[in-house]
Amino acid sequence: MKPDEPLDLDSLIACPVCDLLHTDAVIPVGSQARCHRCHTVLMTPRSQAMTHIVMLATTSLILMVAAVFFPFLDVTAAGLERHSSVMDTILAFSTGLLMPLSFAVAALIVVLPTLRLVAILYTVTPMAIAYKPWPHAKAAFRLAESLQPWSMAEIFIVGVAVALVKIGGLATLKLGPAFWAFAALVIVTALKDTFMCKLTVWKTLEHRSPR
Amino acid sequence: MENAGTSQPPLTARAAGLVACTQCGRVHDAETAECRRCGSVLKSRDTTSLQRVMAWWVAGLIMYIPANLYPMLRTTTLGKDTSNTIVGGVIELVKHGDYGVGGIVFLASVIVPVGKFFAIAYLAFSVHRPDTMHNKARQHLYEVVEFIGRWSMMDVFVVAILTALVQFNIVLAIHPGIAAICFALSVAFTMLSAQSFDPRLIWDADEASQP
Ligand SMILES: [Zn+2]
Ligand SMILES: [Zn+2]
């Protein structure tokens, strides 16, 4: 193909990172298509991806509910015992000047990850069980994509580990069921993301949306 | 995947007189304002990208200074108050012999934020001086900054968890310091700075060097 020939726009895709044009070939399931120039992964179609995404995202949502409301940690110091849930962690800053920080922590570890899961389910579920996407599915998927860097559940888990070491000398600790729910949530969400081929979802959405 | 321009120079969407969507990869005529596949706003190159990068960068740096000067944590043991800054907390961990965790906190709260300031500044600067480092190396630097920057939020979560857990009246209590909010803002601002960067600017050097 030469640059001066009229280009068939539907048969092209551009690398989102470096703008290089590629012909939009059909990629065999299970393999990866990478940009020629910057090696960004363009497509990774997986078999039964939609069904897997729906199942894993639903599991994550259920785990999130368990993680927020079940006891997270038990601390004993000087004969006093204290149970604490994720909710308590969020409300830790709820007094005084640091209140905005409570909102930020709540957003980063619970609200935004949950919103992202819901948006993904809203986009993918109708396409997995039926054919046509629901209205505003495009906006929902754009939201899910923009929330990705701000969903910090996995960072929270590492923070818990660090906090445990820090107070190890001051108090005795026991991990509650919510801790394990949260850890499982992180793993299931990561697994779900391996099934999410962004470009395939977008192409399917375009293909099945009414013009 | 095949590059649409099989011969050199690399054919980008811009060079072909087209505009590509950075969200979904769809290619459009140059005048198109909104992506037909996903509804994103289309821009061949984000011309205000560098201004926004620098604005968020400066905001992040301004917040990073009080984040290091003021206490992150205040521990009250039987009426005795001790405060710890970010670096102070690391020193405390090392003193207790927790070298591994001390190292993780030092990495997430000092090395990563400082390194990120230099990396983003260099990426923005190198748009005008692309010859200082290979494009691929700059692309890697950009990917590392995007991937690792959010992990700095860990220390904020540690403070939240400790505050929630360790509340035993006068015997032992931990309170957050004002630095926690400054640090959280600093991390958020530098994340926004990195997100504002248009990575296509890295690769435009390829076209600029063509006759
Ligand atoms: Zn590329
Ligand atoms: Zn698009």
Side-chain angles (χ1 to χ4, degrees), chain A residues 1-3 7 9-10 12-25 27 32-34 36-40 42-43 72-78 80-85 88-90 92-93 97-101 104-105 108-109 138-139 141-142 145-146 148-156 158-167 170-171 173 198-199 202-203 205-206 211, chain B residues 1-6 10-16 18-29 35-40 44-45 73 75 77 89-90 93 98 101 104-105 135-136 139 142-143 150-169 171-172 174-181 184 187-189 191-192 195 198-201 203-204 206-207:
Chain A
M1 189 184 291
K2 289 194 195 78
L7 297 164
L9 297 185
D10 290 331
L12 291 171
I13 59 163
C15 171
V17 173
C18 77
D19 211 28
L20 192 69
L21 286 175
H22 300 78
T23 44
D24 191 358
I27 308 301
Q32 271 190 347
R34 283 173 182 271
H36 258 257
R37 181 159 69 162
C38 71
H39 302 292
T40 301
L42 297 175
M43 269 194 251
F72 195 71
L73 292 164
D74 267 5
V75 203
T76 325
L80 297 165
E81 206 184 337
R82 200 178 149 81
H83 308 276
S84 152
S85 66
D88 296 326
T89 307
I90 290 166
F93 301 128
L97 269 177
L98 293 160
M99 188 138 88
L101 212 51
V105 171
L108 297 174
I109 64 178
K138 290 179 177 182
F141 196 58
R142 275 210 310 274
E145 281 298 316
S146 65
Q148 192 178 18
W150 303 98
S151 305
M152 300 193 177
E154 74 274 26
I155 300 171
F156 180 68
V158 179
V160 170
V162 171
L164 294 187
V165 172
K166 273 198 163 184
I167 51 170
L170 300 170
L173 290 152
K198 194 167 122 176
L199 232 74
W202 277 127
K203 279 183 2 193
L205 270 175
E206 183 187 34
R211 306 244 151 188
Chain B
M1 199 169 275
E2 305 262 319
N3 182 350
T6 42
L11 183 61
T12 61
R14 181 173 71 170
L18 304 169
V19 56
C21 176
T22 51
Q23 176 69 243
C24 71
R26 204 185 199 298
V27 184
H28 307 76
D29 289 319
C35 178
R36 261 186 290 157
R37 181 181 286 160
C38 72
S40 301
S44 179
R45 289 299 177 274
L73 274 180
T75 314
T77 337
V90 175
L93 279 166
D98 295 319
V101 176
I104 291 173
V105 176
N135 289 348
K136 252 181 202 138
Q139 171 73 25
Y142 169 73
E143 282 166 4
R150 44 205 286 283
W151 281 88
S152 296
M153 209 56 109
M154 192 191 75
D155 221 21
V156 176
F157 296 147
V158 172
V159 173
I161 297 157
L162 290 178
T163 311
L165 284 180
V166 186
Q167 294 297 340
F168 298 101
N169 301 324
V171 182
L172 176 64
I174 293 182
H175 300 285
I178 197 76
I181 208 166
V187 175
F189 290 163
M191 279 175 72
L192 289 166
Q195 284 174 17
D198 185 348
R200 295 175 295 189
L201 297 173
W203 295 94
D204 285 347
D206 276 8
E207 283 168 63

Side-chain angles (χ1 to χ4, degrees), chain B residues 120-131:
Chain B
I120 295 174
Y122 172 72
L123 282 173
F125 160 83
S126 71
V127 165
H128 305 295
R129 294 282 306 277
D131 46 332

